[in-house]
Amino acid sequence: MPSRRGLLGRLVAVGAATIPGCSAVLSRRRNSPVSLPPNPHEVPDRQHAWDTVLHTDEHGNRHPPRHHRVLLLELDVEPSVEAADTVETAMREVESTYEWSPEGLLHALAWGTDYFERIGELDASPIRKPEVLSRTDDPDLLSYDAALVLAADVPSHLVRTETALFSESDPLEGRDLDARLGEVFSIAARRTGFHGAGLPAEHSDAEGVPNDIPQDAPMFTGFMSMRRGTQPSEDRITIDGGALDDGRFDGGTTMHLSHLSESLDDWWAMADEERVARMFSPDFSPSDVDALTDTVPFADSAFDHAAEFGVVGHHEKVARTREDGEPVILRRDFNTTDGGRAGVHFLSFQASLDDFVATRKAMNGWFLRNEHEQVTDRKNNGLLNFIEVESRANFYVPPRSDRAFPAFSP
């Protein structure tokens, strides 16, 4: 395998379907664009651009990869051109090993609030420290230098990638790597999980996971999520044109990661109609949900429903944040049994963290408490009585062409 110095010094054309160049940090040092050899697998410049390769059903609904892992990282070295060299080369090694698909590996290297604070750019960045967003929760507010998001239908691809990138000698699918993320980062924490029919039912040995979860349920709640009409386009959640004055962060997106624990025994103790009322709306029936195809239609009737039924649904609350009929956050959340307990790692992408905050505040439903005495901060208020926020963290996901130490000036 060519040396890393040789790889980075070789100027070669990169195909239109691959990324346009190397890290901006590396290019600035050499006063000219720098490219690595063409990638054998086509990859988009947007690290968050997964939609075109995800599997779809007969209604066009995209299904996320079945297995997920998020590695939360701390920098062990100071930002530098040499460190950027290592990071970019390591990521290119992964992309050369696996195709950009659920059968191969989808991934994104995101940068956290600790990193931007470290380089003195937090105030100028599109992210900020996480905050408490509900008076009924007391989450740990976490801050990291970076996060590596991994997703695939083949669980061993996630394990092998982590092991190869953060060990000293393990190859990746037989490839001896020329650079590893472990030369730059340490793993501070890990989030693991799954999404897809049959997987929740396989985890009935975890605390709080009942035995009667349907075998075909993709999520612990039993319902399908992420219908096409409830997700924005990737264009909608990409920073573009003046989100920040200097444009340095255009082409990227912001990422929020929450860990939610779930009270599934209470959830599954309810009748089907009660679960539907709290997930969707009290004027939905189980047969209505079974008939849904590519969207979840709602009239703006949350206030009326709270007053009439004494209960309000999760979906109808968050639908109030849509702009021109389109949601504002792209959800890629997944079930988890981390810590031996049922939960969700809520992973979302949005052009501005303000969009996530607005969605969460709509989910809180505090504006509905005066409509009926049975609607409180948590009870009969969507999913709030069945979840608890354990932690929050915020990240920026740069375009692939600037993924090695974005906004850093050597």
Side-chain angles (χ1 to χ4, degrees), residues 317 360-369 375-376 381 384:
K317 288 186 296 179
R360 173 62 212 212
K361 288 184 176 179
M363 177 180 166
N364 287 341
W366 297 336
F367 47 89
L368 299 167
R369 291 172 304 154
V375 178
T376 72
N381 197 338
L384 297 179

Side-chain angles (χ1 to χ4, degrees), residues 271-350:
D272 290 351
E273 292 79 5
E274 293 180 282
R275 291 197 300 275
V276 166
R278 285 158 179 79
M279 177 61 79
F280 296 95
S281 169
D283 68 348
F284 274 41
S285 68
S287 61
D288 291 331
V289 174
D290 291 340
L292 294 174
T293 56
D294 62 348
T295 193
V296 181
F298 287 111
D300 189 4
S301 301
F303 285 92
D304 293 339
H305 291 160
E308 179 179 355
F309 298 102
V311 63
V312 66
H314 168 75
H315 272 280
E316 66 180 333
K317 288 186 296 179
V318 299
R320 292 170 55 83
T321 61
R322 294 181 182 181
E323 296 180 358
D324 300 323
E326 188 177 17
V328 295
I329 68 170
L330 181 65
R331 294 175 43 222
R332 288 185 175 145
D333 48 287
F334 50 92
N335 310 272
T336 188
T337 54
D338 284 352
R341 183 180 178 186
V344 172
H345 290 307
F346 191 90
L347 187 68
S348 71
F349 298 85
Q350 49 282 310

Side-chain angles (χ1 to χ4, degrees), residues 65-388:
R66 290 174 64 81
H67 301 280
H68 301 258
R69 181 169 297 214
V70 181
L71 305 178
L72 300 166
L73 308 176
E74 293 180 348
L75 274 170
D76 294 331
V77 301
E78 289 302 310
S80 66
V81 171
E82 290 71 26
D85 178 329
T86 299
V87 168
E88 181 63 26
T89 304
M91 295 304 299
R92 288 295 186 96
E93 296 275 20
V94 172
E95 289 168 346
S96 295
T97 304
Y98 295 115
E99 70 175 13
W100 184 254
S101 74
E103 292 81 12
L105 186 70
L106 297 174
H107 52 82
L109 181 62
W111 295 83
T113 46
D114 273 0
Y115 164 71
F116 284 105
E117 197 166 46
R118 183 191 295 267
I119 65 170
E121 294 282 359
L122 182 58
D123 289 343
S125 80
I127 62 172
R128 55 185 181 268
K129 298 278 189 178
E131 56 191 308
V132 177
L133 298 174
S134 166
R135 56 175 166 260
T136 62
D137 290 307
D138 185 23
D140 294 329
L141 302 179
L142 306 176
S143 187
Y144 297 97
D145 283 305
L148 180 63
V149 179
L150 305 172
D153 284 345
V154 184
S156 62
H157 290 182
L158 311 185
V159 177
R160 290 170 182 169
T161 298
E162 177 183 341
T163 301
L165 287 178
F166 291 92
S167 70
E168 292 185 359
S169 59
D170 282 12
L172 180 59
E173 303 290 0
R175 290 173 58 94
D176 291 325
L177 302 188
D178 199 48
R180 303 172 188 273
L181 292 185
E183 300 173 50
V184 175
F185 297 107
S186 294
I187 299 174
R190 181 183 293 101
R191 307 285 189 260
T192 66
F194 46 89
H195 187 134
L199 294 176
E202 292 179 7
H203 290 78
S204 58
D205 56 339
E207 179 185 348
V209 181
N211 293 322
D212 53 356
I213 291 180
Q215 288 296 317
D216 61 349
M219 296 291 284
F220 279 137
T221 58
F223 294 112
M224 173 186 170
S225 63
M226 304 184 194
R227 288 177 175 84
R228 182 160 53 94
T230 66
Q231 294 273 73
S233 67
E234 289 173 340
D235 286 342
R236 170 65 181 79
I237 57 94
T238 299
I239 299 171
D240 182 29
L244 292 172
D245 290 340
D246 58 15
R248 284 184 297 167
F249 302 99
D250 285 0
T253 188
T254 72
M255 184 177 91
H256 179 80
L257 177 65
S258 302
H259 181 193
L260 314 178
S261 58
E262 294 182 298
S263 300
L264 293 176
D265 288 334
D266 294 337
W267 176 255
W268 286 100
M270 296 188 299
D272 290 351
E273 292 79 5
E274 293 180 282
R275 291 197 300 275
V276 166
R278 285 158 179 79
M279 177 61 79
F280 296 95
S281 169
D283 68 348
F284 274 41
S285 68
S287 61
D288 291 331
V289 174
D290 291 340
L292 294 174
T293 56
D294 62 348
T295 193
V296 181
F298 287 111
D300 189 4
S301 301
F303 285 92
D304 293 339
H305 291 160
E308 179 179 355
F309 298 102
V311 63
V312 66
H314 168 75
H315 272 280
E316 66 180 333
K317 288 186 296 179
V318 299
R320 292 170 55 83
T321 61
R322 294 181 182 181
E323 296 180 358
D324 300 323
E326 188 177 17
V328 295
I329 68 170
L330 181 65
R331 294 175 43 222
R332 288 185 175 145
D333 48 287
F334 50 92
N335 310 272
T336 188
T337 54
D338 284 352
R341 183 180 178 186
V344 172
H345 290 307
F346 191 90
L347 187 68
S348 71
F349 298 85
Q350 49 282 310
S352 170
L353 286 173
D354 291 342
D355 294 330
F356 173 79
V357 171
T359 302
R360 173 62 212 212
K361 288 184 176 179
M363 177 180 166
N364 287 341
W366 297 336
F367 47 89
L368 299 167
R369 291 172 304 154
N370 293 333
E371 303 303 312
H372 199 290
E373 62 182 6
Q374 292 180 6
V375 178
T376 72
D377 278 358
R378 293 180 67 89
K379 289 185 178 180
N380 300 312
N381 197 338
L383 303 177
L384 297 179
N385 209 34
F386 307 95
I387 62 172
E388 185 173 345

